[in-house]
Amino acid sequence: MAAPAESSGWFPALAIAVSLLKCLFINAYHSTDFEVHRNWLAITHSLPVSRWYYENTSEWTLDYPPLFAWFEYGLSQAAVHFDRGMLVVANLNYASPATILFQRLSVVFADLVFIYAVKECCTTVREEKAAKDLLRRPCFVLAVLLLWNFGLFIVDHIHFQYNGFLFGFLLLSVARHLQARHLEGALWFSIVLNLKHINLYVAPAYGIYLLRCFCFAQDNPDGSLRWRSFSPVRFVSLGAVVLSVTAASFGPFVAMGQLPQVLSRLFPFKRGLCHAYWAPNFWALYNVLDKALSVLGVRLGLLDVAGLPKASMTGGLVQEFQHAVLPSVHPPAALLCTLLAMLPALWCVWRRPCGGRCFLRCLVQCALASFMFSWHVHEKAVLLAVLPLSILAVESRRDAGIFLMLATTGHYSLFPLLFTPAEFPIKVLLMLLFTMYSFSALRNLFSGEGSLLHPLEAVYLLGLVAVEVVCEVVFPLSPWQRTLPFVPLLVTSVYCALGVSYSFVRLYVSLLTQEVTEKAKRL
Amino acid sequence: METFTLVSMSILLGVLVRWGVSFNSYSGAGKPPMFGDYEAQRHWQEVTYNLPIQEWYFNTTDNDLNYWGLDYPPLTAFHSLLCAHVAKLINPEWVKLLGSRGYESPAHKLFMRATVLAADLLVYIPAVVLYCCNLTNGSTNKKVGTLLCILLYPGLILIDYGHFQYNGLSLGLTLWGVLGLGLGWDALGSLAFSLALNYKQMELYHALPFFCYLLGKCARQGLTGRGLFSLVKIAVTVLVTFALCWLPFLSNPEQALQVLRRIFPVARGLFEDKVANAWCSLNVLIKIRSILSSDSQFYLSFTVTLLAITPSSLKLLKTPTFWQFKLALVNSSLAFFLFSYQVHEKSILLAALPVCLLLNDLPLVAIYFLQVSTFSMLPLLLKDGLLMPYAVTSLAFLVFSTHLLSALERCTEAQLRLEGYHRLAAWLPACLPRLDLARIIRRKFYTSLLLMVGLSVASVALPPPAGLPDLFPVLVSTFSFLHFLGTFIYFNIVQLSTPQGKQKTM
């Protein structure tokens, strides 16, 4: 990743380099998600559409929206030429070398969407003064931060998923909004929403922004909403775009009367509040607080041991987690918390929209709010905030600081995804590579404007090294490994939860104070 | 960006690629009864751990020399012993005498790969970093670019982390030797190179330039005064290093002789398999091995090799500059590879190392040669199931190195150091036509790249014609031989035409 001598052709070089690097890990460990996607290939290829959401030979049933199923169907047409064995539904855990090659390559090639989206995002970056040194140009830094993103790399190309492909559409829609091509942006977003419904997390930001800035064509001179400027044409065309994509995706299933079945697959609320490995969010802190209080209560004699729920003592291993002291959380409560956490950001966009950047900030905020408070969040969902935040990070010093906090803790919280010894060097090396680059590049970008991190923040981030050493080197050698095997995961998720929550709060503070300073300027 | 960050990121990337390649198969994986180099290395651990040192190189009931008997110098044996001690700590089954033959498991593979990485991290990578930071000229970006290119050279990575060997160790020690000489610490340099020689006898390919450079330098200082003192110092260093490495075998002459017999197996013939050197390529036209007796084959190859290295050695002896030294390293190792006795296809790595050192000075030719050198090992890599890493690392190296070193822009005749040709052509206008050599080389580069891609695809995808089962390996080795010969001639021209006073300025 060192300096290309001349400025032409650096983007293809970066993209080719990272794609080749991805191909190097074809034979590395892959998680059960590999089998999940193989199974979906088999289902979509060998069964009629009406059976897709009913098939349950494998435990990994189809639980992505229909557009993604069609994507798998398209892939299966190419898979035929590699190995027909992977397309048989009954071949559970089928992983011949040709199957592995095909599936891995399919991820690498699907990432072309992502590469294109990154290129578009780079063109939207504002450059005040074109730096002579390529390494100091914001668009170069942004390209590296996105293309070489640590989280995407290990989740997609080692763990195995198609996030790069999906984020490609999301970033493309963001880029289109930044370029003020709103209808296109809406189209790409409806596509990505129909590919993976986790993007509902950021849907409120899109809804409010498009309504406010696209459907209302004009503002009052003081920036407030002019109700009379509502443009029905725009509203209808927007609705037509969104509805036509959704209709293409869900229409056939509605026609077959399968909508309830599809929805029950998409939203399995029977799962617990937290994933087996707690995502580093508010609920991880909540759970730990509950545990601490219950232990304290027992010590002080305020609580009766017999009255405590049993499973709580093995927290982190089971999905169901019953709280002993604090009130237990139910899906509606989690949803309410999420919406409440989003509201201020949405309100900001509604009150005083300041263009695409404001929308982007709101999008990051919504993604992070959902990550913090939603029901059954996966640790990978943090990427939904990290990737869009990269765009803001190369433009302002304050966002750069928040990005470093969030990206480093969020990425570190992905470490437990790769637990096999052979992959240990990979995650450490890649993480070091990415973190080192992001710190040094962003520091260079804002070299004249003071340090990016508060000393305390730096100490917290250095603490991650200590956590890593303790969790993966010291602890496995200690006798507690057998009695308390869940402690490393617990420590990792709680420690990272602190950093993510902190970034969430800081992002809000920066959003709200920005509002205040702008008001002050106007006065 | 600070140099420190750039250098660290290059190292991280280099290590990452190495580890990525290590996920793939190794030589002889799951192929009893003989397996491959991986098993050889494991077997040496078993032998050195369990047998007394006197039996290591001898055929005994517990040590069947026909089953991957130890045939490298003592330092390799000591390294195996060290690894064996670590292996014993983790799982005693890995080094159990006789019981561990052909042992294979994912955990063991991980262990073996880790030993290669450890050796690289300790010896090869630091040497490369120091070389690029101290002995190359140009801006920081240029230095880091060179560093990254050397670290990403696919041939070495594929053989060490795919096929399985410890070339990083012997080449790394040689590089420490080069560093020592380049920085003026001649005694330390010779110490490092003596260690390299004691690790792998093939390092003899590099021995003559070391010798000539040091001798020439001492002669310059005056062989009666300071020069003599330096010469004695260097000689003592070398002798003591050798003595220490061979100490266990010196008590009994029979021991030492047996080690020598194992290290230089003269009886094995002029060449084996398909290797891109002169003899194997000549074999396509004339069946040398059936015409000449074994002895005359040996003398023939010895004489031709000697003739091939003489010009560059004499020139170096006369002008012992660092620039000449680097060129002589290339010329000597290529001469040995092309003409000497019993050459393996992997030995091209010995020539690749000094060419890597010239990446910054002569980017286009160096990249050209390094690409061909990786390609020349294609049949071996295919046998080991390393097609994917071969394709990926070669492509990455090509893209990165041409981009980072701006190889295609930096190739005027002056930059290719071919002014000598025109001076010669001015003298002999009748025999030498006036040519635009830079354009020819550039065009040849593109043609060769296309040919290599074509031959690689053909080797993988096409079944060979019925009458010629070895068609593709022979094509690959002949193609590579022609390129190596061309490179050899080119580097000789560059070395011999460098004027006396001119150092490594550009």
Side-chain angles (χ1 to χ4, degrees):
Chain A
M1 230 188 305
E6 71 293 343
S7 51
S8 67
W10 56 266
F11 189 85
L14 276 179
I16 290 172
V18 77
S19 302
L20 289 172
L21 193 62
K22 290 165 184 172
C23 292
L24 215 47
F25 297 103
I26 285 176
N27 287 322
Y29 152 87
H30 52 79
S31 73
T32 48
D33 277 337
F34 180 84
E35 168 64 8
V36 171
H37 287 96
R38 188 212 57 79
N39 184 43
W40 294 356
L41 278 178
I43 290 175
T44 51
H45 188 261
S46 53
L47 297 178
V49 180
S50 58
R51 298 280 315 142
W52 286 2
Y53 284 91
Y54 283 93
E55 169 57 41
N56 61 358
T57 310
S58 160
E59 61 178 310
W60 313 114
T61 52
L62 185 55
D63 58 5
Y64 273 26
L67 213 52
F68 195 84
W70 285 110
F71 168 65
E72 293 275 5
Y73 175 79
L75 283 183
S76 73
Q77 300 307 311
V80 176
H81 303 291
F82 281 75
D83 184 351
R84 282 181 177 275
M86 76 175 106
L87 298 173
V88 178
V89 177
N91 274 351
L92 297 186
N93 295 313
Y94 186 82
S96 68
T99 308
I100 293 179
L101 182 70
F102 170 74
Q103 294 226 68
R104 290 285 199 196
L105 286 183
S106 72
V107 184
V108 174
F109 279 98
D111 271 4
L112 288 175
V113 178
F114 182 69
I115 293 174
Y116 176 70
V118 173
K119 194 163 166 39
E120 287 302 302
C121 285
C122 288
T123 60
T124 67
V125 173
R126 283 188 296 220
E127 287 187 69
E128 271 122 48
K129 47 186 195 296
K132 215 173 169 197
D133 185 3
L134 178 62
L135 293 178
R136 281 167 165 269
R137 283 179 55 189
C139 58
F140 179 82
V141 175
L142 178 64
V144 179
L145 288 184
L146 290 174
L147 288 176
W148 288 73
N149 183 280
F150 166 80
L152 266 188
F153 198 104
I154 67 160
V155 173
D156 277 12
H157 302 279
I158 299 180
H159 178 85
F160 198 86
Q161 279 191 352
Y162 289 93
N163 291 298
F165 170 70
L166 300 167
F167 278 119
F169 286 107
L170 185 70
L171 287 183
L172 196 56
S173 93
V174 168
R176 290 295 177 245
H177 280 309
L178 292 179
Q179 295 160 345
R181 291 154 71 174
H182 296 296
L183 271 183
E184 266 180 86
L187 172 70
W188 294 122
F189 182 70
S190 0
I191 288 176
V192 75
L193 194 57
N194 279 294
L195 282 168
K196 193 172 179 180
H197 49 304
I198 195 177
N199 291 297
L200 276 175
Y201 282 180
V202 294
Y206 274 91
I208 299 288
Y209 175 71
L210 283 173
L211 191 63
R212 175 69 177 78
C213 293
F214 182 67
C215 297
F216 288 96
Q218 278 178 320
D219 286 346
N220 285 324
D222 66 339
S224 63
L225 179 62
R226 180 184 286 184
W227 289 96
R228 262 181 297 167
S229 70
F230 181 75
S231 153
V233 180
R234 287 189 174 194
F235 185 76
V236 169
S237 52
L238 188 64
V241 166
V242 175
L243 285 181
S244 58
V245 173
T246 313
S249 168
F250 281 89
F253 297 92
V254 176
M256 287 184 285
Q258 293 183 351
L259 193 63
Q261 168 68 12
V262 174
L263 290 181
S264 77
R265 283 281 176 85
L266 296 190
F267 300 100
F269 274 108
K270 282 173 209 115
R271 296 186 190 168
L273 173 64
C274 290
H275 193 54
Y277 157 60
W278 299 350
N281 60 9
F282 176 76
W283 303 120
L285 296 175
Y286 188 82
N287 288 350
V288 161
L289 183 67
D290 176 71
K291 169 118 308 187
L293 285 179
S294 71
V295 169
L296 203 69
V298 170
R299 279 275 164 83
L300 297 176
L302 297 174
L303 284 174
D304 183 15
V305 183
L308 291 178
K310 285 261 162 52
S312 68
M313 296 313 287
T314 50
L317 287 181
V318 291
Q319 301 208 351
E320 292 294 333
F321 189 94
Q322 281 185 292
H323 296 93
V325 183
L326 299 173
S328 278
V329 183
H330 300 286
L335 186 64
L336 187 69
C337 288
T338 313
L339 288 178
L340 281 179
M342 285 178 182
L343 262 185
L346 295 174
W347 178 241
C348 280
V349 173
W350 183 260
R351 273 247 332 269
R352 214 168 301 284
C354 44
R357 302 256 161 342
C358 200
F359 152 73
L360 188 52
R361 196 171 291 280
C362 176
L363 184 148
V364 172
Q365 205 69 265
C366 286
L368 210 50
S370 313
F371 181 77
M372 289 292 292
F373 296 104
S374 280
W375 185 259
H376 196 82
V377 177
H378 282 242
E379 64 279 18
K380 297 154 221 154
V382 76
L383 295 178
L384 198 55
V386 171
L387 289 170
L389 186 58
S390 316
I391 304 175
L392 293 174
V394 296
E395 291 184 349
S396 106
R397 190 187 69 84
R398 196 148 57 156
D399 292 329
I402 303 175
F403 171 79
L404 289 179
M405 274 300 278
L406 182 66
T408 314
T409 46
H411 286 162
Y412 179 75
S413 75
L414 300 174
F415 264 35
L417 281 179
L418 305 183
F419 49 85
T420 44
E423 278 69 20
F424 177 75
I426 298 294
K427 64 177 179 185
V428 173
L429 289 169
L430 263 173
M431 175 84 182
L432 279 177
L433 198 60
F434 182 79
T435 311
M436 210 169 206
Y437 179 80
S438 49
F439 270 79
S440 124
L442 290 175
R443 200 170 50 213
N444 255 320
L445 222 48
F446 305 106
S447 51
E449 304 170 41
S451 69
L452 297 175
L453 291 178
H454 189 269
L456 271 181
E457 296 172 337
V459 168
Y460 168 82
L461 289 182
L462 281 177
L464 287 174
V465 179
V467 170
E468 171 64 11
V469 171
V470 168
C471 289
E472 301 219 39
V473 182
V474 178
F475 194 84
L477 300 173
S478 74
W480 297 306
Q481 173 69 17
R482 244 172 289 156
T483 51
L484 302 163
F486 55 86
V487 166
L489 289 184
L490 191 79
V491 170
T492 307
S493 93
V494 170
Y495 194 83
C496 291
L498 290 174
V500 175
S501 315
Y502 173 80
S503 315
F504 176 68
V505 173
R506 268 214 46 197
L507 214 51
Y508 250 125
V509 170
S510 106
L511 181 75
L512 297 174
T513 51
Q514 189 183 14
E515 181 94 331
V516 171
T517 47
E518 262 171 31
K519 218 181 250 173
K521 257 185 221 163
R522 218 166 273 147
L523 287 174
Chain B
M1 216 173 286
E2 310 86 4
T3 318
F4 173 75
T5 321
L6 287 174
V7 168
S8 330
M9 287 199 314
S10 304
I11 296 174
L12 286 173
L13 206 58
V15 176
L16 191 65
V17 171
R18 283 167 163 70
W19 200 249
V21 171
S22 83
F23 284 112
N24 293 285
S25 174
Y26 46 82
S27 69
K31 284 182 195 149
M34 279 308 270
F35 303 95
D37 274 349
Y38 176 89
E39 167 65 6
Q41 297 288 349
R42 194 212 53 76
H43 179 66
W44 294 350
Q45 293 178 10
E46 169 200 337
V47 168
T48 50
Y49 185 81
N50 292 295
L51 299 180
I53 209 165
Q54 288 77 24
E55 288 183 30
W56 286 358
Y57 289 90
F58 281 90
N59 205 15
T60 63
T61 45
D62 287 334
N63 189 13
D64 177 9
L65 287 186
N66 285 324
Y67 184 80
W68 299 116
L70 197 51
D71 55 3
Y72 274 23
L75 213 53
T76 295
F78 299 143
H79 178 222
S80 296
L81 182 62
L82 181 72
C83 293
H85 275 282
V86 181
K88 178 85 176 176
L89 278 180
I90 304 172
N91 185 350
E93 290 287 307
W94 293 350
V95 288
K96 200 168 151 199
L97 189 61
L98 300 177
S100 61
R101 284 207 179 170
Y103 191 99
E104 288 178 298
S105 77
H108 186 249
K109 181 181 167 189
L110 185 61
F111 163 74
M112 294 293 272
R113 298 294 200 201
T115 59
V116 179
L117 185 65
D120 251 12
L121 284 176
L122 289 175
V123 180
Y124 184 70
I125 294 179
V128 176
V129 172
L130 283 180
Y131 175 83
C132 290
C133 290
N134 294 314
L135 293 175
T136 52
N137 34 24
S139 66
T140 305
N141 284 356
K142 198 108 271 182
K143 286 181 181 190
V144 175
T146 315
L147 170 67
L148 191 58
C149 291
I150 298 182
L151 287 180
L152 290 185
Y153 167 57
L156 182 61
I157 300 180
L158 290 169
I159 294 300
D160 275 15
Y161 292 83
H163 178 84
F164 201 87
Q165 278 193 343
Y166 293 97
N167 290 298
L169 208 49
S170 56
L171 294 179
L173 286 169
T174 308
L175 195 49
W176 278 103
V178 175
L179 262 175
L181 266 53
L183 296 173
W185 303 328
D186 293 344
L188 281 177
S190 14
L191 169 76
F193 184 65
S194 309
L195 289 176
L197 267 177
N198 277 304
Y199 191 85
K200 204 167 181 178
Q201 66 274 32
M202 258 80 88
E203 285 299 332
L204 278 172
Y205 288 17
H206 295 138
L208 213 54
F210 270 89
F211 176 76
C212 292
Y213 176 76
L214 290 171
L215 189 64
K217 203 174 157 190
C218 292
R220 277 226 167 154
Q221 294 169 339
L223 270 180
T224 47
R226 267 185 58 220
L228 184 67
F229 176 67
S230 335
L231 194 64
V232 170
K233 200 169 77 180
I234 292 163
V236 169
T237 315
V238 172
L239 286 177
V240 169
T241 314
F242 266 83
L244 284 178
C245 290
W246 286 68
L247 199 56
F249 307 99
L250 290 180
S251 54
N252 183 350
E254 182 48 33
Q255 279 280 337
L257 276 177
Q258 172 68 9
V259 178
L260 279 179
R261 271 196 296 272
R262 292 290 306 162
I263 296 177
F264 299 106
V266 186
R268 277 171 76 174
L270 190 56
F271 61 91
E272 285 173 6
D273 285 341
K274 300 280 170 290
V275 49
N277 76 351
W279 308 122
C280 186
S281 306
L282 200 61
N283 198 51
V284 178
L285 306 174
I286 315 162
K287 300 277 171 265
I288 321 167
R289 280 184 295 189
S290 48
I291 299 172
L292 294 175
S293 72
S294 175
D295 273 350
S296 33
Q297 284 174 32
F298 180 75
Y299 290 121
L300 176 69
S301 73
F302 182 78
T303 321
V304 178
T305 314
L306 205 62
L307 281 176
I309 45 177
T310 308
S312 97
S313 300
L314 286 181
K315 173 84 178 179
L316 176 64
L317 204 57
K318 225 172 75 190
T319 359
T321 61
F322 189 60
W323 170 243
Q324 284 283 330
F325 173 59
K326 286 201 287 186
L327 287 169
L329 279 175
V330 178
N331 287 329
S332 157
S333 47
L334 263 178
F336 271 98
F337 180 84
L338 289 173
F339 303 112
S340 78
Y341 196 72
Q342 251 295 309
V343 175
H344 288 262
E345 64 273 60
K346 282 161 273 175
S347 301
I348 196 62
L349 295 180
L350 290 154
L353 176 78
V355 175
C356 278
L357 304 185
L358 293 168
L359 265 171
N360 193 33
D361 306 290
L362 301 163
L364 183 65
V365 187
I367 292 168
Y368 194 176
F369 171 82
L370 292 173
Q371 282 292 337
V372 178
S373 73
T374 311
F375 171 74
S376 76
M377 296 183 283
L378 180 67
L380 178 79
L381 299 173
L382 287 183
K383 206 164 69 187
D384 295 342
L386 296 170
L387 172 66
M388 195 66 187
Y390 159 75
V392 168
T393 51
S394 306
L395 215 57
F397 180 74
L398 183 67
V399 171
F400 258 60
S401 54
T402 45
H403 195 72
L404 290 181
L405 302 171
S406 27
L408 295 169
E409 289 85 55
R410 284 168 65 194
C411 61
T412 61
E413 273 179 24
Q415 282 162 332
L416 291 169
R417 321 228 173 191
L418 283 170
E419 312 98 313
Y421 176 85
H422 288 291
R423 246 177 288 136
L424 208 61
W427 276 90
L428 302 160
C431 353
L432 294 170
R434 290 198 73 83
L435 297 169
D436 183 358
L437 293 173
R439 224 177 88 203
I440 295 176
I441 289 187
R442 210 161 40 212
R443 207 181 287 161
K444 267 179 55 92
F445 178 62
Y446 290 125
T447 325
S448 303
L449 283 182
L450 283 178
L451 276 173
M452 283 194 278
V453 172
L455 266 176
S456 299
V457 172
S459 311
V460 175
L462 296 181
L468 304 162
D470 277 342
L471 177 69
F472 293 123
V474 169
L475 280 179
V476 168
S477 75
T478 315
F479 172 91
S480 313
F481 163 70
L482 291 174
H483 281 83
F484 295 157
L485 192 66
T487 322
F488 177 67
I489 294 170
Y490 168 80
F491 277 112
N492 266 296
I493 292 177
V494 173
Q495 193 189 356
L496 298 176
S497 70
T498 310
Q500 203 86 349
K502 197 179 165 194
Q503 294 251 327
K504 49 175 181 176
T505 47
M506 190 101 184

